[in-house]
Amino acid sequence: MPAAAALALGFWGIRRQDSLWSDEAVTYEVAHRSTSDIARLLAEADVVHGLHYFLMHAVFALWEGGTVALRLPSVLAVAATAAGVGLLGRRLAGPRAGLFAGLVLALLPSLQRYAQEGRSYALVCALMTWGTWLLLDALDAGSRKQRAARGERRSWLGARQFGHRFRWAGYGAVMLVACLVHAFAVLGLVAHGVTAALSRTGLRPWATTASVVSASLAPLALVSATQSGQVSWIAAPALSDLVDQAVVSAVGVACALLLLSGRSGGGTTAAGGVPALALPLLLLPAGLLLALSPLRPLYVDRYVLYGSIGLALLTGAALDRALRHVLTRLRARGPLRGPRLPVLVVAVASALVTLAVLPASRELRTPASRSDDVTAVAEAVREMGAPGDGLVFLPARRAWVLATPDGYAELDDVALADSPAASGTLFGAELAPAVIRERLTAQRRVVAVRDVFGEPRDSTGRRDAKEAVLRARFEECGTRRVTRAQITVYARPGHC
């Protein structure tokens, strides 16, 4: 049921009126390059997203399905996450807790959002969920009590030891892929270390596995360190970020205290069961990024989206605990009428929760739910410009044009020297400032597309050259703001 709910929510309004935000536009354009062009790009930029770009390249090679194909892997990944969270909850706290946890995961607005985005974050959630399942499997297999309960015997072939090592190898392989899809999945690996330490039997094999994963990631880390300028746009966490994380953490801790107070949700893998597994996933990745912010701001909530796995597990187990408490009190007053009352209570509660999140769910399926919309920007440029007009981007990040080139086809991109694919870059290579100045001066009308906020300035002198010519030789005819873009038309004095 959780997977079915996640699928239904994922396909509901998946096109979002064919709107794309700029990060998705980057995925779309890069995925349509040849594999050799993608590899050339990764040597210069976005190596941390490389595996995802190759995956999306394969998807579009199989099916050129536009925005649906772009977002389909994320929809399937969130469905796999919901299914895995349901199974984790069932394993640690019982069938009903698993059902609640999976449904909570599917209904979380953050998961609904990234289920419909052509980026890697939903895929990391799926890999982290099933990596967590394999971690539990490996910890259980390493427990002497568990082996005795299953009646396992030592084999002269060492089959038992081989099975134990095979489980850890499987866990390590999944976590390595998760970290290759997005580097900050390594913080989930750290959270797993806390769970392994609490199990009392798994810390040493976890440490060995984590060391192998880390060593395997070293080449990626070295290359990505040379591209660290790509995250220079990340600012110190805003107050709203801190408040949001504090509220989510408080909910998780409250659920954990409820579970521990009743000895509910316990499991055989680690002391406390659900809390020992879920709390580190919820608190550590986000907490570590926030703690590092004074040294180097890196906190963005989607980078640690997989913390929602911990929140869903804790909430699902706590709801199960609360429901059992209510049913126990009702039974104490007398026999319940029929065995279907728990099912009715669950159905009513699910309906109420669904109605509560419905407004947010509807909003997430509109173009306005994202910080920008490259489709709307392209339409505005088409309406404001005329064939033969000059076109400049300030700054030179052409994310607006990547997935919607037809909207700019009749304009002359004054500063562009080579396209993104031809130059092996994300946004293309620009001409020297002197050449840009000369070409821009020859234009009669110019359409300028600016970022309104949130992006660093160009540092090569090209932006200054563009701005200087526009101020000296042109007058402003009109400006329109479209999401995070500001589009201004300039013309020679007296020709607006």
Side-chain angles (χ1 to χ4, degrees):
M1 184 179 292
L7 279 175
L9 289 168
F11 283 114
W12 169 31
I14 189 172
R15 292 185 184 275
R16 224 171 46 242
Q17 301 175 36
D18 286 325
S19 64
L20 288 168
W21 80 293
S22 53
D23 278 13
E24 286 187 294
V26 170
T27 302
Y28 185 88
E29 194 276 336
V30 173
H32 281 83
R33 301 186 192 184
S34 68
T35 54
S36 59
D37 282 344
I38 295 175
R40 189 157 65 101
L41 165 68
L42 299 182
E44 300 294 331
D46 259 11
V47 68
V48 293
H49 297 295
L51 187 57
H52 186 247
Y53 289 151
F54 281 115
L55 169 65
M56 294 309 303
H57 176 82
V59 169
F60 283 115
L62 293 172
W63 177 43
E64 187 55 67
T67 53
V68 177
L70 179 67
R71 295 165 181 158
L72 180 61
S74 294
V75 173
L76 298 178
V78 170
T81 302
V85 167
L87 291 174
L88 284 169
R90 179 186 182 94
R91 180 172 186 161
L92 291 173
R96 192 165 55 203
L99 175 63
F100 287 164
L103 290 176
V104 167
L105 190 286
L107 287 170
L108 285 175
S110 57
L111 267 294
Q112 290 190 53
R113 168 175 180 163
Y114 291 104
Q116 294 187 340
E117 288 206 356
R119 296 298 275 176
S120 62
Y121 311 112
L123 183 58
V124 172
C125 284
L127 290 165
M128 189 65 67
T129 300
W130 289 99
T132 302
W133 175 271
L134 292 171
L135 172 71
L136 292 185
D137 223 28
L139 292 174
D140 281 346
S143 168
R144 292 181 181 179
K145 184 179 292 186
Q146 289 295 314
R147 292 200 300 268
R150 291 194 294 266
E152 293 184 4
R153 297 180 179 178
R154 186 178 298 274
S155 167
W156 69 275
L157 290 174
R160 188 179 70 191
Q161 291 87 339
F162 176 80
H164 187 205
R165 292 172 182 171
F166 182 79
R167 289 180 173 91
W168 280 107
Y171 164 72
V174 171
M175 292 306 297
L176 175 59
V177 174
C179 295
L180 289 173
V181 172
H182 196 277
F184 284 156
V186 73
L187 299 175
L189 186 67
V190 175
H192 285 165
V194 176
T195 301
L198 291 173
S199 73
R200 299 181 181 180
T201 62
L203 184 57
R204 180 176 295 179
W206 171 85
T208 301
T209 305
S211 298
V212 173
V213 171
S214 300
S216 302
L217 290 171
L220 175 67
L222 291 174
V223 176
S224 63
T226 67
Q227 302 174 3
S228 59
Q230 285 193 272
V231 293
S232 61
W233 60 270
I234 301 178
L239 178 61
S240 59
D241 294 323
L242 299 176
V243 170
D244 290 346
Q245 187 58 36
V247 170
V248 169
S249 299
V251 171
V253 170
C255 291
L257 292 175
L258 174 63
L259 296 172
L260 292 172
S261 67
R263 300 298 183 194
S264 176
T268 59
T269 300
V274 169
L277 177 72
L279 265 184
L281 273 175
L282 174 62
L283 301 179
L284 271 181
L288 288 172
L289 284 185
L290 288 170
L292 288 171
S293 293
L295 300 176
R296 176 67 183 271
L298 289 173
Y299 176 79
V300 180
D301 57 357
R302 60 183 179 269
Y303 291 173
V304 289
L305 181 65
Y306 55 83
S308 301
I309 299 166
L311 178 63
L313 285 170
L314 288 163
T315 306
L319 288 173
D320 175 54
R321 163 75 173 154
L323 179 59
R324 284 194 288 112
H325 178 72
V326 170
L327 293 177
T328 300
R329 295 289 296 272
L330 289 175
R331 290 190 181 99
R333 298 181 180 180
L336 298 178
R337 293 185 178 181
R340 297 178 180 270
L341 182 59
V343 177
L344 178 61
V345 171
V346 171
V348 172
S350 299
L352 292 175
V353 171
T354 302
L355 289 174
V357 301
L358 185 60
S361 298
R362 290 173 62 91
E363 172 64 20
L364 286 170
R365 285 152 181 85
T366 65
S369 66
R370 304 308 194 263
S371 62
D372 55 47
D373 180 359
V374 301
T375 306
V377 172
E379 181 62 28
V381 168
R382 185 184 296 112
E383 292 174 359
M384 297 177 69
D389 284 353
L391 174 68
V392 292
F393 292 92
L394 301 150
R397 287 174 289 278
R398 288 169 171 74
W400 311 112
V401 73
L402 295 179
T404 54
D406 291 345
Y408 306 82
E410 295 184 336
L411 304 181
D412 178 18
D413 194 338
V414 173
L416 185 65
D418 289 304
S419 69
S423 62
T425 63
L426 281 175
F427 305 119
E430 291 204 334
L431 298 163
V435 181
I436 294 174
R437 192 177 297 111
E438 180 182 346
R439 293 193 62 186
L440 190 54
T441 302
Q443 301 296 316
R444 186 176 63 85
R445 277 172 38 107
V446 177
V447 179
V449 183
R450 291 181 172 87
D451 289 341
V452 175
F453 65 89
E455 296 287 354
R457 291 176 58 91
D458 291 332
S459 58
T460 59
R462 293 178 174 87
R463 178 171 184 147
D464 292 339
K466 298 170 190 174
E467 295 279 18
V469 173
L470 290 175
R471 285 194 303 267
R473 302 296 183 93
F474 295 86
E475 63 181 13
E476 184 176 322
C477 300
T479 296
R480 183 189 303 181
R481 178 169 175 172
V482 181
T483 62
R484 201 164 49 86
Q486 179 175 292
I487 305 159
T488 304
V489 175
Y490 294 87
R492 293 289 187 178
H495 291 81
C496 278

